[in-house]
């Protein structure tokens, strides 16, 4: 499968966000990763619906919206109304995963489920055939700039074996040019990159990541 690059805006300059997003888009990034944190499920607060709604007016890029929030079923429809194209929720954050999936599907959006580095694949095995993608967190969620947890590669391989070659497997956390090839070889195809894209050379960074994937 061809790599899908989904740069995370978490560490980007929010004062110049529209221009930065458009640069990443023009350089070849297919998606934009939006990390929503509530300070409860994860020990940090990022941004929410108003920011996404505002950004939607400046770009048509696919909004890959990652909800790191407790009881995501309370807010899924509001994020979709704000402009989300895909919604990813954490299995650890809800007791109603099927309800979350149904809410996303109801609006014709892409549904995905995320698991933390210490959550086994068995926890989501009964949900795999109901979603479009699994996000394997390769750091513990909450802060950018952490080191990639290589043990998660075994989970990526397990999901790829279960779901076949056409299923989307996303990784988020610690992705760099020097470990990208190994991540893709493990079976991931949707790559979230924060500081590896949103730095002083966005265009060059995007192009180098795609070159590493070849």
């Amino acid at each position: 499968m061809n790599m899908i690059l989904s740069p995370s805006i978490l560490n980007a300059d929010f004062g110049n966000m529209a221009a930065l997003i458009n640069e990443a888009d023009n350089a070849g990034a297919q998606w934009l990763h939006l990390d929503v944190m509530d300070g409860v499920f994860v020990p940090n607060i990022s941004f929410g619906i108003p920011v996404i709604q505002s950004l939607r007016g400046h770009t048509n890029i696919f909004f890959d919206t990652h909800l790191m929030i407790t009881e995501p079923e309370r807010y899924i429809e509001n994020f979709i109304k704000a402009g989300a194209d895909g919604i990813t929720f954490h299995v650890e954050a809800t007791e109603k995963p099927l309800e979350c999936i149904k809410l996303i599907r109801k609006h014709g959006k892409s549904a995905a489920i995320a698991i933390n580095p210490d959550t086994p694949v068995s926890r989501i095995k009964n949900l795999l055939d109901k979603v479009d993608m699994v996000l394997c967190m390769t750091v513990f969620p909450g802060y950018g700039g952490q080191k990639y947890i290589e043990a998660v590669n075994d989970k990526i391989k397990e999901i790829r074996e279960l779901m076949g070659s056409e299923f989307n497997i996303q990784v988020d956390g610690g992705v760099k040019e020097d470990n990208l090839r190994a991540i893709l070889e493990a079976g991931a195809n949707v790559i979230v990159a924060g500081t590896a894209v949103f730095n002083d050379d966005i265009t060059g960074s995007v192009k180098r990541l795609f070159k590493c994937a070849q």
Side-chain angles (χ1 to χ4, degrees):
M1 297 176 71
N2 292 329
M3 183 180 81
I4 296 171
L5 182 61
S6 186
S8 169
I9 68 171
L10 197 57
N11 293 314
D13 177 5
F14 275 71
N16 193 32
M17 189 60 69
L20 300 181
I21 291 169
N22 284 318
E23 182 176 352
D25 186 5
N26 291 335
Q30 303 98 318
W31 294 4
L32 187 73
H33 195 77
L34 304 170
D35 285 306
V36 179
M37 304 179 186
D38 64 358
V40 179
F41 178 64
V42 294
N44 201 2
I45 295 173
S46 58
F47 53 83
I49 290 165
V51 169
I52 293 173
Q53 192 169 24
S54 176
L55 292 176
R56 184 77 286 174
H58 295 277
T59 178
N60 292 319
I61 198 170
F62 184 95
F63 275 8
D64 171 30
T65 308
H66 179 193
L67 301 184
M68 288 177 270
I69 63 177
T70 54
E71 299 178 6
E73 59 273 11
R74 296 177 298 162
Y75 301 107
I76 282 171
E77 291 187 293
N78 288 333
F79 278 101
I80 290 171
K81 289 175 184 176
D85 296 298
I87 297 281
T88 301
F89 66 92
H90 276 259
V91 69
E92 305 93 350
T94 180
E95 295 179 358
K96 302 175 180 178
L98 287 174
E99 181 179 320
C100 291
I101 294 167
K102 288 177 182 176
L103 277 171
I104 300 166
R105 295 280 192 221
K106 174 184 171 184
H107 294 277
K109 303 301 181 181
S110 177
I113 194 160
I115 53 175
N116 285 338
D118 55 355
T119 300
V121 174
S122 59
R123 180 85 180 270
I124 59 167
K125 208 166 183 179
N126 66 325
L127 300 170
L128 289 174
D129 63 347
K130 299 174 177 62
V131 295
D132 301 295
M133 183 175 75
V134 169
L135 165 53
C136 291
M137 290 299 300
T138 44
V139 298
F140 284 93
Y143 296 95
Q146 298 181 63
K147 186 177 179 181
Y148 186 93
I149 300 172
E150 293 186 12
V152 179
N153 285 350
D154 290 336
K155 289 199 290 188
I156 296 169
K157 292 174 184 176
E158 184 179 352
I159 296 168
R160 180 60 68 204
E161 288 174 4
L162 287 168
M163 299 304 295
S165 61
E166 298 304 311
F167 186 75
N168 282 333
I169 301 175
Q170 185 176 62
V171 295
D172 182 0
V175 176
K176 308 291 182 186
E177 290 177 30
D178 60 5
N179 66 1
L180 177 59
R181 188 70 241 168
I183 294 167
L184 295 171
E185 288 174 356
N189 68 298
V190 184
I191 303 298
V192 177
T195 54
V197 169
F198 286 114
N199 51 53
D200 292 337
D201 183 16
I202 293 172
T203 297
S205 296
V206 169
K207 293 185 180 303
R208 283 191 298 272
L209 285 168
F210 277 107
K211 187 175 182 179
C212 289
Q214 293 176 349

